[in-house]
Amino acid sequence: MKTIDDLQVAGQRVFVRADLNVPLDGTTITDDGRIRAVAPTIAKLVERGAKVIVASHLGRPKGAPDPAFSLAPAARRLGEILGQDVAFATDTVGDSARSVTEGLADGQVAVLENLRFNAGETSKDDAERGAFADQLAALADLYVGDGFGAVHRKHASVYDLPQRLPQAAGDLIAAEVAVLKKLTENVKRPYVVALGGAKVSDKLAVIDQLVEKADRILVGGGMAYTFLKAKGHEVGISLLQEDQVPVCLEYLARAEKRGVEFVLPVDVLVSAEFPDLKTKAPANPDTVAADAIPADKEGLDIGPKTRELYAAKLADAGTVFWNGPMGVFEHPDYAGGTKAVAQGLLDSDAFTVVGGGDSAAAVRLLGFDENAFGHISTGGGASLEYLEGKTLPGLAALED
């Protein structure tokens, strides 16, 4: 895989496929982590005299312009981080995009409007996707793939475009791949994996792989209740994927057979109502044993005994991969479990990887120093699919 150091970029129009898919409250960015992550690649290209064209998706518009998903706020924030003016094209391949990109001088930066405003970006039809990639290719001389959060998508700007231009991986993607190799090749043990998040179905494929590779798997978040159900416990009105119970039973049996510790919550915080995440009004949850959840209540975070247990299971780790919060971390009354796991990573001497998505957002929201962790990934889904052993279209295109 070539890197940007292998490209001669001075005076060239360099198309950077970034991941600026940041959370917005109206037009206010609530977490700029992904913009800050790709900024060093863009800054390096600027220093070397490239004309930098940055493109990304944001959210899931329906293949047509939607002001709610405009990248304009991300373009403004990128300019603030870079310390220079960043031009903004109000379309992807139309008059504005052509005018803005043609007007760039060496060392200047432009951001195109949301790629998903064009149906060709996400089309499953190769011809339609390819036609959009042709239009994007006409804007640039070189391609740099640095949107790790999108490399598991077979989209025009991720998969088709790098096949049409001289291409290389950006520094962010190179760093992400190097870290993920540390989780799959010659792993320092004990190898501990902490998995959370809402749905167990989102993590089944990676659990299937990790049962063969990890020494311990700690489970929290909404997905824990399907495992607790598989163990024969009642879970009240907690999030439950009943159809996944047989698969959870199978994984528990495989883990036991292989000697992998599969650790589930021993206590949980429960309430009859989901917390108000806007007002953050006090929720006053109860703490109950994991096998004694009342019929009219749902589990919303791991309890204090589980936090201590998980911290102990992380303490002697050589490598830790954490993906998914332990509870509804956005509310202070249910942030304790996620905070305890994050602190457990920091208190260990392990090589620690925070697997993107909500975990990365939680680290920032809860006030942890990002630099204290070994690596914070920008791609939750991409990280998981890499660990599952899948071929990621965006990486494959950069390797060709």
Side-chain angles (χ1 to χ4, degrees), residues 273-287:
E273 296 182 352
F274 196 83
D276 189 325
L277 300 183
K278 282 199 173 291
T279 66
K280 304 290 197 297
N284 302 314
D286 297 320
T287 302

Side-chain angles (χ1 to χ4, degrees), residues 127-188:
E128 183 180 12
R129 218 176 48 246
F132 183 48
D134 288 338
Q135 291 178 291
L136 291 172
L139 301 175
D141 305 304
L142 304 170
Y143 177 92
V144 169
D146 217 27
F148 182 73
V151 293
H152 58 316
R153 308 294 188 191
K154 193 176 182 180
H155 290 170
S157 65
V158 176
Y159 177 73
D160 302 272
L161 182 55
Q163 299 178 55
R164 286 160 165 76
L165 293 171
Q167 45 79 7
D171 288 350
L172 176 59
I173 276 187
E176 294 271 13
V177 171
V179 165
L180 289 169
K181 284 184 177 178
K182 285 189 178 183
L183 298 179
T184 55
E185 303 171 7
N186 301 316
V187 181
K188 184 181 177 184

Side-chain angles (χ1 to χ4, degrees), residues 241-276:
Q241 289 185 280
E242 190 90 45
D243 61 325
Q244 303 298 334
V245 167
V247 187
C248 291
L249 274 171
E250 178 197 335
Y251 288 158
L252 290 169
R254 279 176 54 197
E256 184 175 10
K257 184 176 180 180
R258 288 201 70 256
V260 175
E261 286 188 73
F262 208 107
V263 191
L264 298 175
V266 295
D267 62 344
V268 295
L269 301 189
V270 299
S271 175
E273 296 182 352
F274 196 83
D276 189 325

Side-chain angles (χ1 to χ4, degrees), residues 328-339:
V328 187
F329 71 91
E330 301 92 340
H331 192 284
D333 288 351
Y334 300 108
T338 302
K339 189 177 293 185

Side-chain angles (χ1 to χ4, degrees), residues 13-362:
R13 296 171 301 159
V14 181
F15 187 104
V16 178
R17 202 328 179 164
D19 181 7
L20 309 181
N21 184 28
V22 292
L24 293 172
D25 182 2
T27 59
T28 301
I29 296 170
T30 57
D31 181 1
D32 68 355
R34 284 176 170 162
I35 303 175
R36 287 186 288 109
V38 76
T41 292
I42 297 169
K44 180 185 282 190
L45 292 169
V46 165
E47 289 167 10
R48 291 172 57 190
K51 303 169 182 178
V52 186
I53 303 162
V54 182
S56 175
H57 70 286
L58 191 151
R60 296 189 177 185
K62 306 296 184 182
D66 183 338
F69 297 105
S70 175
L71 276 172
R76 286 193 294 272
R77 181 61 185 135
L78 177 62
E80 292 169 358
I81 293 168
L82 294 175
Q84 70 179 77
D85 290 338
V86 169
F88 182 66
T90 57
D91 56 27
T92 56
V93 290
D95 292 341
S96 179
R98 287 190 294 271
S99 174
V100 167
T101 57
E102 288 169 4
L104 288 175
D106 295 356
Q108 291 187 330
V109 181
V111 173
L112 303 181
E113 185 54 282
N114 192 336
L115 292 166
R116 291 186 183 174
F117 285 1
N118 190 303
E121 169 68 0
T122 59
S123 176
K124 295 192 183 331
D125 182 86
D126 291 348
E128 183 180 12
R129 218 176 48 246
F132 183 48
D134 288 338
Q135 291 178 291
L136 291 172
L139 301 175
D141 305 304
L142 304 170
Y143 177 92
V144 169
D146 217 27
F148 182 73
V151 293
H152 58 316
R153 308 294 188 191
K154 193 176 182 180
H155 290 170
S157 65
V158 176
Y159 177 73
D160 302 272
L161 182 55
Q163 299 178 55
R164 286 160 165 76
L165 293 171
Q167 45 79 7
D171 288 350
L172 176 59
I173 276 187
E176 294 271 13
V177 171
V179 165
L180 289 169
K181 284 184 177 178
K182 285 189 178 183
L183 298 179
T184 55
E185 303 171 7
N186 301 316
V187 181
K188 184 181 177 184
R189 296 187 179 277
Y191 179 17
V192 183
V193 177
L195 295 175
K199 295 181 179 179
V200 68
S201 58
D202 292 342
K203 306 281 169 53
L204 285 179
V206 77
I207 294 172
D208 183 58
Q209 293 293 315
L210 291 171
V211 164
E212 303 297 323
K213 296 171 181 173
D215 298 299
R216 291 182 203 127
I217 299 175
L218 318 178
V219 177
M223 63 182 287
Y225 302 102
T226 303
F227 278 102
L228 290 171
K229 183 72 172 180
K231 296 274 284 185
H233 305 319
E234 293 303 321
V235 296
I237 57 172
S238 304
L239 187 63
L240 174 65
Q241 289 185 280
E242 190 90 45
D243 61 325
Q244 303 298 334
V245 167
V247 187
C248 291
L249 274 171
E250 178 197 335
Y251 288 158
L252 290 169
R254 279 176 54 197
E256 184 175 10
K257 184 176 180 180
R258 288 201 70 256
V260 175
E261 286 188 73
F262 208 107
V263 191
L264 298 175
V266 295
D267 62 344
V268 295
L269 301 189
V270 299
S271 175
E273 296 182 352
F274 196 83
D276 189 325
L277 300 183
K278 282 199 173 291
T279 66
K280 304 290 197 297
N284 302 314
D286 297 320
T287 302
V288 300
D291 60 357
I293 298 174
D296 63 341
K297 294 188 177 181
E298 66 177 318
L300 295 163
D301 193 15
I302 57 174
K305 290 181 180 177
T306 306
R307 296 170 198 173
E308 290 181 14
L309 173 65
Y310 285 11
K313 296 294 183 183
L314 292 165
D316 68 342
T319 302
V320 180
F321 173 66
W322 170 35
N323 183 282
M326 296 291 110
V328 187
F329 71 91
E330 301 92 340
H331 192 284
D333 288 351
Y334 300 108
T338 302
K339 189 177 293 185
V341 167
Q343 189 62 52
L345 267 69
L346 297 183
D347 291 342
S348 74
D349 292 324
F351 173 63
T352 56
V353 179
V354 180
D358 285 340
S359 307

